[in-house]
Amino acid sequence: MSKLLEVKNLRASYGQVRVLHGLNFSLEEGGVTTLLGANGAGKTTTLRAICGMVKCSGEILFEGKNILGKSTEDVARLGVAHIPEGRGTFTRMTVEENLQLGAISRRDTQNIPKDIDKMFDHFPRLKQRRTQQAGTLSGGEQQMLAIARALMLRPRLMLLDEPSFGLAPLVVKEMFEILTALNREEKASMLIVEQNAALALGIADEAYLLETGSIVMSGPAKQIGADENVRRSYLGY
Amino acid sequence: MSAHEETVVHHDIGESPEGAERLIAKPAAPEAKAGLQLRHFVFVALLVLAFVLPAFTKNFVVFQLTQTMVYAIAIVGLNLLTGFNGQFSLGHSAFYAVGAYTAAILMEQAGLSYVWTLPVAGIICFILGFLFGLPALRLEGVYLALATFALAAATPQILKLSPLEHWTGGVQGIVITKPDAPFGLPLNQDQWLYYFTLIVGLILYLAARNLVTSRTGRALMAIRDNPIAARSMGVNTSLYKASAFGLSAFYTGVAGALGAIIVQFVAPDSFTLTLSIGFLVGLVVGGVGWLPGALFGGAFLLFVPNIAENVSKGLSGAVYGLLLIAIIYVMPSGLAGFLQLIVSKVRGK
Amino acid sequence: MELFIQQVLAGISTGAIYACMALAVVMIYQAIDHLNFAQGEMAMFSTFIAWQLIEKCVPYWLAFVLTVIISFIGGIAIERIVFKPIENAPVLSHVVIFIALYSVINSAAGFIWDFTVKSFPSPFGSAPLFGSSLISAHQGGMVAVTLVLLLLLYGFFSFTRVGLAMRAAAANPASSRLVGIRVSWMVALGWGMATALGSIAGMLIAPVVFLEPNMMISILLYGFAGAVLGGLTSPGGAVLGGFAVGVIENLAGTYIPVVGSELKLPIALVVIVVVLVFKPAGLFGRVVVSRV
């Protein structure tokens, strides 16, 4: 397998405050990588840096090409679907319009209706709500819509920022089952940022542990999950 | 002037600095110790300058400086509403007009001393502003702009109405006698009015400063930044918003009264929408949410149209517009943001 | 009763002017989420360009099309040159720039074409329509053009991908970038379309009110009022709102004592404000549901 995403020596600051101190990590084609860490560790900033939403330095290689410094819309057009914190739903638009917006930068317009149907197969609950304003959906439904919208891009890479945030435990479980299935069946590559380490380690191949802007530990997810210190600090058992 | 859906939309994406559209710049006044001392020094220096200035300048310049302060007071009023409470108004020319006419009518018809017209004008405007603020509670953004705009558009017409002519003097307006300096002070009328305005302005400015740093001020700002959270913390948003409107109208009304006294004349066509827009421009170039900026705004309002007129008679409007654009380019958040930038650059070194 | 009907008809015919302008207002609101105070002046300037072309013996419809194209490009240029550099400035600073633009355009038009009133030809003629002296052929044509434009816009925003992308970019720029929409160009496109639409409004309005640099001041205000009354999110609502404002204005002028012609505008605005207090999103605006 080849590397889909390779991040080298990534540094970023908000004003005077440096939040990322030279991160190095990578993601295999078709793999799932997770970045774990507490609040303020720099996880969200890392995703935002990949999408050109924060100023940063270093190298971000996507399919071997440096995308650092590209605008957010250009990164999206390369096939990077970012599901941001707070989901980035177009609340004033209908569910169906949200899905169409997911595919807005695609050139193969003739396949879009087919893909929308496919999303409705994946997420039957969205089908029931297709003409409803997205803002009226429940938290879980909105998260599903966000994932479906991201898939409409036919992404090469999905960036997920805390997909479990604000959801009931049962919904979270369902969400991760869906993500696992997507990875297995659609071969979707994912970079997942999570505070819920147990869940994320369950789905990921590789894991990186972030503390105040630096990677303090990395390795296969199974190995990280078995580590005594990680268990005590992040898994709580 | 974005629609009221804005808040919801922006929460969609979390705290995105470049996505978040700000109604106002929030120059978090530099609170560091050094900054405080520097600011106090600047304040005292300006004050001393303000007190000795009339001795060295011509009467007409004194008059212009007085007019600048009057506008500044009105802009402080607008700032309390827009900068600190997030409500938008194109209707402040109406409150300015009410203040001016109150002063004129009380002085010329009731024979009241000019000093007492100020509180009366302020209180009348407070009541009007509060009452206007009540229905305005339901309106936000462009809708509030339209409602306040209606107020500004109606004012000159109402002042011209024939049933009111007995009081307002109709289209002719009212001529006011200029007051002399009291206690035999060795000042001419313009100089005295300058000091009078300076003192009134100083009191109003300090009061506004205290207000915005008080509990009430924090409640006002909480309503501006997150009305839902403010309400859930037990802030009576309706009362505060209507009161903010009233208070803002109070300041503008007092400014109107002062303006009438120094100009010695009120007429309906001095109080059109143009004046409201002028206040808004003054507010923005001075810095929304920064009280001292009002002085810069007032000066802009008074002097820049004259400058434009001098540059080119035929194209004065274009020159004025281009100057305005240039200022916003250089200081997108007004003087406040500009000074803040300079301070942070200096500190950064 | 006859007076009432007459006044309603007169209201509809002036309302057509406002409806036309209201449509342009909603258009730019959709694209940039602000009301553009300079829009009336831009329309006036476009109309002067058309007038100049016609003076130079260009046939009416060719001048019409040329003006629409020039305005489209001009609108994009204004966005790129004036607004792009300060896209991150606070909203109120943008409002001040609108005011500045207003001043610049008004002054420039007065300088180039002076302030004397000029007549502007109508493509529909001015014969009375259906033998009624209240609505002329031109006003009928104006209503028709407004409705056609409305349909076109509706189709554009509802059924095309660019229309969808424009709506998304205005409502939620950050998320729009994440799905690959070039937000900044969508805004520019919105400016272009709104300016083109404004130029059409200007050319339709000019035969009625005559052409001069200040022709649009009060019309833009009524247009705003109509757009807000109908609901800024709804082009159809804006057109209806424009007609409604015309009718309200005429009826207020006729039936409310002491109003006279001077107070027509304020009264119309007061009626609208009262409506808004009860229906804050306008009569036809989409009520936005938000979860707290």
Side-chain angles (χ1 to χ4, degrees):
Chain A
M1 282 201 282
S2 65
K3 294 254 193 283
L4 180 67
L5 179 75
E6 229 180 326
V7 172
K8 290 179 184 165
N9 197 22
L10 182 68
R11 294 165 187 275
S13 329
Y14 287 124
Q16 310 273 356
V17 191
R18 167 146 298 178
V19 283
L20 297 181
H21 306 271
L23 302 189
N24 292 290
F25 65 90
S26 62
L27 172 64
E28 302 285 326
E29 177 91 61
V32 177
T33 294
T34 181
L35 299 176
L36 303 174
N39 267 336
K43 297 170 303 200
T44 298
T45 307
T46 309
L47 294 193
R48 294 168 60 89
I50 295 172
C51 283
M53 296 167 86
V54 287
K55 273 215 176 100
C56 50
S57 64
E59 254 188 290
I60 301 172
L61 299 176
F62 179 69
E63 297 181 310
K65 278 188 227 105
N66 195 357
I67 57 166
L68 191 139
K70 274 194 191 290
S71 71
T72 307
E73 48 265 47
D74 286 337
V75 175
R77 279 161 186 265
L78 287 174
V80 178
H82 183 170
I83 303 173
E85 219 176 15
R87 304 184 186 111
T89 308
F90 297 88
T91 45
R92 288 192 239 175
M93 310 226 178
T94 66
V95 168
E96 189 163 349
E97 283 173 333
N98 266 275
L99 294 179
Q100 265 162 354
L101 281 167
I104 201 96
S105 61
R106 273 169 54 178
R107 301 236 172 264
D108 54 328
T109 44
Q110 71 279 9
N111 296 327
I112 291 173
K114 213 168 60 200
D115 281 10
I116 289 184
D117 287 338
K118 205 162 95 187
M119 289 308 137
F120 285 146
D121 288 343
H122 276 309
F123 306 99
R125 243 185 298 169
L126 294 182
K127 188 171 191 173
Q128 294 163 14
R129 309 230 184 280
R130 69 190 296 167
T131 57
Q132 215 167 310
Q133 260 184 55
T136 64
L137 266 53
S138 75
E141 288 164 345
Q142 285 201 27
Q143 188 66 55
M144 287 177 193
L145 177 60
I147 292 173
R149 197 199 64 226
L151 287 170
M152 286 301 296
L153 184 66
R154 292 202 174 164
R156 306 272 300 117
L157 169 64
M158 286 172 82
L159 308 177
L160 294 108
D161 198 345
E162 306 242 6
S164 73
F165 185 80
L167 301 182
L170 270 178
V171 183
V172 172
K173 193 162 161 279
E174 195 186 339
M175 187 68 50
F176 272 81
E177 279 162 7
I178 292 170
L179 291 177
T180 313
L182 281 173
N183 176 240
R184 210 180 308 121
E185 289 157 23
E186 310 262 326
K187 299 272 171 283
S189 314
M190 299 178 195
L191 179 59
I192 303 179
V193 149
E194 258 297 347
Q195 286 201 50
N196 189 333
L199 272 172
L201 288 171
I203 179 175
D205 311 311
E206 295 271 334
Y208 294 83
L209 205 60
L210 247 71
E211 258 174 36
T212 55
S214 308
I215 289 173
V216 290
M217 190 187 277
S218 63
K222 284 210 183 76
Q223 193 183 319
I224 298 272
D227 186 277
E228 186 69 19
N229 285 325
V230 172
R231 272 200 3 222
R232 214 173 303 131
S233 324
Y234 292 97
L235 300 173
Y237 58 88
Chain B
M1 303 212 342
S2 16
H4 50 96
E5 300 94 272
E6 222 45 67
T7 2
V8 183
V9 173
H10 289 137
H11 288 184
D12 284 347
I13 194 82
E15 295 144 12
S16 119
E18 73 266 59
E21 203 177 5
R22 297 152 302 162
L23 173 65
I24 38 170
K26 287 171 213 158
E31 290 296 346
K33 273 236 165 80
L36 267 175
Q37 281 163 0
L38 179 71
R39 278 202 299 170
H40 285 162
F41 176 74
V42 171
F43 182 72
V44 171
L46 280 177
L47 207 58
V48 170
L49 184 69
F51 265 97
V52 299
L53 208 55
F56 304 103
T57 44
K58 280 185 284 192
N59 267 348
F60 183 65
V61 178
V62 172
F63 167 78
Q64 283 184 319
L65 291 173
T66 316
Q67 182 72 60
T68 300
M69 288 191 286
V70 169
Y71 283 150
I73 295 170
I75 292 170
V76 166
L78 186 59
N79 208 342
L80 288 174
L81 183 71
T82 307
F84 294 93
N85 198 223
Q87 299 193 73
F88 189 82
S89 171
L90 280 174
H92 269 50
S93 61
F95 300 121
Y96 193 89
V98 170
Y101 268 86
T102 305
I105 293 169
L106 287 178
M107 281 170 73
E108 293 308 310
Q109 307 212 354
L112 200 67
S113 154
Y114 63 97
V115 180
W116 295 111
T117 63
L118 299 190
V120 178
I123 289 165
I124 289 177
C125 284
F126 179 88
I127 295 167
L128 286 178
F130 186 87
L131 292 177
F132 187 83
L134 287 177
L137 285 176
R138 306 248 318 155
L139 306 170
E140 277 169 50
V142 280
Y143 304 101
L144 185 58
L146 189 79
T148 51
F149 167 77
L151 194 64
T155 303
Q157 314 298 352
I158 291 173
L159 290 172
K160 284 179 200 164
L161 284 184
S162 46
L164 298 175
E165 209 160 296
H166 172 64
W167 300 98
T168 59
V171 190
Q172 304 297 320
I174 306 170
V175 176
I176 302 168
T177 328
K178 220 174 204 178
D180 288 316
F183 323 119
L185 287 173
L187 299 167
N188 65 34
Q189 290 169 326
D190 283 326
Q191 286 171 330
W192 163 242
L193 281 177
Y194 172 87
Y195 285 115
F196 181 64
T197 308
L198 181 62
I199 291 164
V200 172
L202 206 57
I203 294 169
L204 288 175
Y205 169 72
L206 291 174
R209 250 200 66 112
N210 277 333
L211 177 82
V212 296
T213 50
S214 70
R215 257 176 76 90
T216 315
R218 283 198 298 277
L220 288 176
M221 286 183 260
I223 292 169
R224 170 193 74 189
D225 295 335
N226 195 335
I228 294 161
R231 206 175 305 147
S232 66
M233 285 187 297
V235 177
N236 184 341
T237 49
S238 311
L239 183 66
Y240 271 103
K241 284 176 92 169
S243 305
F245 229 110
L247 189 68
S248 175
F250 177 94
Y251 271 74
T252 309
V254 172
L258 277 169
I261 296 166
I262 64 163
V263 180
Q264 299 171 268
F265 177 61
V266 291
D269 289 329
S270 323
F271 308 112
T272 57
L273 183 67
T274 316
L275 185 63
S276 278
I277 290 177
F279 290 150
L280 182 71
V281 170
L283 172 66
V284 173
V285 299
V288 182
W290 190 57
L291 291 173
L295 215 47
F296 182 72
F300 185 93
L301 187 49
L302 185 67
F303 293 109
V304 174
N306 287 341
I307 295 171
E309 192 85 15
N310 285 338
V311 172
S312 159
K313 261 235 157 353
L315 278 169
S316 65
V319 175
Y320 173 79
L322 291 174
L323 281 173
L324 200 51
I325 292 175
I327 284 208
I328 297 291
Y329 272 30
V330 180
M331 329 188 286
S333 306
L335 185 64
F338 189 63
L339 289 181
Q340 205 193 1
L341 195 73
I342 291 175
V343 168
S344 72
K345 280 254 164 75
V346 170
R347 291 250 173 83
K349 272 179 189 160
Chain C
M1 195 60 209
E2 200 168 310
L3 179 69
F4 178 80
I5 291 171
Q6 259 187 10
Q7 288 303 323
V8 170
L9 278 176
I12 290 175
S13 86
T14 38
I17 302 175
Y18 307 150
C20 220
M21 203 63 218
L23 196 58
V25 167
V26 165
M27 174 68 223
I28 197 148
Y29 187 79
Q30 293 272 352
I32 63 172
D33 231 7
H34 298 313
L35 292 179
N36 176 0
F37 292 110
Q39 200 166 8
E41 300 313 290
M42 286 158 60
M44 174 272 294
F45 204 88
S46 298
T47 313
F48 264 112
I49 292 174
W51 178 83
Q52 191 71 64
L53 288 170
I54 293 169
E55 284 289 293
K56 294 258 183 316
C57 297
V58 178
Y60 181 90
W61 287 111
L62 181 61
F64 185 94
V65 172
L66 280 176
T67 302
V68 171
I69 294 170
I70 293 170
S71 304
F72 181 77
I73 296 168
I76 291 180
I78 288 182
E79 198 280 333
R80 291 281 104 177
I81 296 166
V82 182
F83 286 92
K84 183 78 185 12
I86 54 153
E87 59 186 347
N88 292 323
V91 173
L92 280 176
S93 298
H94 284 216
V95 173
V96 166
I97 296 283
F98 289 140
I99 294 167
L101 262 185
Y102 171 97
S103 187
V104 171
I105 297 173
N106 184 281
S107 170
F111 186 75
I112 302 171
W113 291 292
D114 72 50
F115 285 89
T116 54
V117 172
K118 297 172 175 60
S119 65
F120 193 86
S122 160
F124 309 107
S126 53
L129 193 65
F130 313 127
S132 149
S133 59
L134 285 163
I135 296 187
S136 69
H138 177 74
Q139 272 148 335
M142 193 151 83
V143 174
V145 172
T146 305
L147 294 178
V148 169
L149 286 175
L150 178 63
L151 274 179
L152 287 176
L153 274 184
Y154 176 78
F156 174 75
F157 278 117
S158 307
F159 303 116
T160 70
R161 272 155 56 93
V162 181
L164 181 65
M166 274 178 77
R167 279 194 291 147
N172 199 336
S175 296
S176 299
R177 285 190 194 98
L178 286 180
V179 296
I181 296 172
R182 301 193 194 281
V183 172
S184 140
W185 276 107
M186 289 299 137
V187 174
L189 186 60
W191 271 85
M193 287 178 61
T195 313
L197 213 57
S199 73
I200 298 176
M203 287 183 278
L204 290 175
I205 292 166
V208 185
V209 301
F210 297 108
L211 182 59
E212 53 114 1
N214 293 323
M215 68 183 263
M216 280 294 179
I217 293 177
S218 62
I219 289 171
L220 179 68
L221 299 179
Y222 285 111
F224 274 158
V228 173
L229 178 66
L232 281 163
T233 48
S234 150
V239 168
L240 273 175
F243 283 117
V245 169
V247 172
I248 294 169
E249 176 205 30
N250 265 291
L251 292 181
T254 317
Y255 287 100
I256 303 177
V258 289
V259 167
S261 63
E262 290 286 347
L263 266 181
K264 267 157 91 178
L265 172 65
I267 294 284
L269 289 171
V270 167
V271 171
I272 290 156
V273 169
V274 171
V275 171
L276 286 177
V277 167
F278 291 102
K279 292 213 58 160
L283 289 175
F284 306 96
R286 196 176 340 159
V287 177
V288 175
V289 204
S290 63
R291 298 167 64 91
V292 179

